[in-house]
Amino acid sequence: MLKVGVLVSGGGTNLQAILDAIDNGKITNAQVSLVVSNNPGAYALERAKKHEIEAVCISPKQFENREEFHKALLAKLQESGVELVVLAGFLVAIPPMIVEAFPNRIINIHPSLIPSFCGVGYYGLHVHEKALARGVRVTGATVHFDTGTDTGPIILQKAVKIRQDDTPEVLQRRVMEKAEWKILPKAIDLIANGKVKVVDGRVEIEEYDVEE
Ligand code: GAR
């Protein structure tokens, strides 16, 4: 059983999608053993507690500097025996110290088709504002191994069409429903069942099924 630690900052709808997928058998061989938020008010922490999952806040404000914060976060993940770290709306850049401790064991969900609309400053609603401002007709979501800010090998992507009257909020919701809440649980299931390999910086998935 793969022990998954989920890092969150806000509402936690992606966390909920993971918990639901475990409950209904869409994710097998994995359990969420820890949820950490940098934000004490994150509703995601409540979602974890309702599932009787250890939920803790580790905020940069509790520490003298960024390095101490990073050390505390890493220590918590290691103490809990987490084997896969899932960034599910975690709006903190993962430092090299943590990336190196979990090689190809950190995945992130990003609300665009990487390499579009990603990197520093592209998070949450801003991603959708920028996609609408650029006038793209298609956006989507990406799950990738995380080696910094929206870098690292891509595991799954799903496209979502943009309508002319979309607002950032409406588009955000559609990308979540049609893409994020599907591909994040799917990626965890593939990893938990040993079907994901990184070869020469790219992901190979056993029995990869291209959905039309
Ligand atoms: C999601 O849309 C996620 O893709 C995005 O934050 C939202 C969190 O929602 N993440 C990023 O922008 C990371 N760069 P949630 O808390 O309801 O899952």
Side-chain angles (χ1 to χ4, degrees):
M1 196 59 100
L2 185 77
K3 284 178 109 180
V4 179
V6 184
L7 307 190
V8 293
S9 297
T13 63
N14 278 287
L15 168 66
Q16 191 65 52
I18 296 166
L19 298 176
D20 292 347
I22 291 174
D23 288 349
N24 67 28
K26 286 194 176 162
I27 297 177
T28 57
N29 283 326
Q31 65 181 97
V32 177
S33 51
L34 174 70
V35 172
V36 181
S37 175
N38 60 314
N39 164 16
Y43 184 65
L45 291 172
E46 300 309 312
R47 295 183 193 268
K49 286 179 197 156
K50 279 188 197 154
H51 255 78
E52 294 176 1
I53 294 164
E54 184 185 359
V56 294
C57 170
I58 302 179
S59 160
K61 293 182 187 148
Q62 299 161 342
F63 302 91
E64 255 178 37
N65 55 47
R66 212 69 190 167
E67 195 182 352
E68 293 305 311
F69 164 59
H70 292 153
K71 278 188 193 160
L73 184 57
L74 177 57
K76 184 70 207 171
L77 293 168
Q78 288 177 328
E79 267 163 34
S80 306
V82 162
E83 296 161 297
L84 177 71
V85 177
V86 176
L87 310 176
F90 189 56
L91 305 181
V92 169
I94 298 298
M97 182 200 296
I98 298 182
V99 174
E100 282 155 23
F102 290 92
N104 290 336
R105 289 275 132 187
I106 304 175
I107 66 171
N108 179 47
I109 178 83
H110 182 75
S112 76
L113 294 173
I114 289 176
S116 289
F117 307 111
C118 65
V120 177
Y122 287 84
Y123 60 90
L125 205 56
H126 299 303
V127 179
H128 306 291
E129 285 166 358
K130 287 171 178 160
L132 290 176
R134 185 62 184 85
V136 292
R137 300 291 187 189
V138 177
T139 186
T142 303
V143 185
H144 61 97
F145 285 111
D146 195 85
T147 55
T149 304
D150 304 331
T151 54
I154 289 169
I155 306 168
L156 293 174
Q157 291 188 302
K158 194 161 194 299
V160 173
K161 286 182 185 159
I162 292 182
R163 297 189 187 142
Q164 293 208 152
D165 60 353
D166 274 342
T167 62
E169 291 79 6
V170 166
L171 181 58
Q172 179 181 49
R173 181 77 193 178
R174 187 174 326 112
V175 169
M176 283 177 158
E177 279 178 4
K178 292 199 181 289
E180 296 185 44
W181 301 341
K182 293 184 176 165
I183 63 174
L184 184 57
K186 179 75 188 166
I188 295 169
D189 180 60
L190 289 168
I191 292 169
N193 288 288
K195 296 195 171 159
V196 175
K197 268 194 304 191
V198 179
V199 181
D200 296 334
R202 285 167 30 134
V203 167
E204 284 181 8
I205 298 176
E206 204 180 297
E207 299 161 37
Y208 179 56
D209 174 25
V210 181
E211 281 176 39
E212 295 302 334

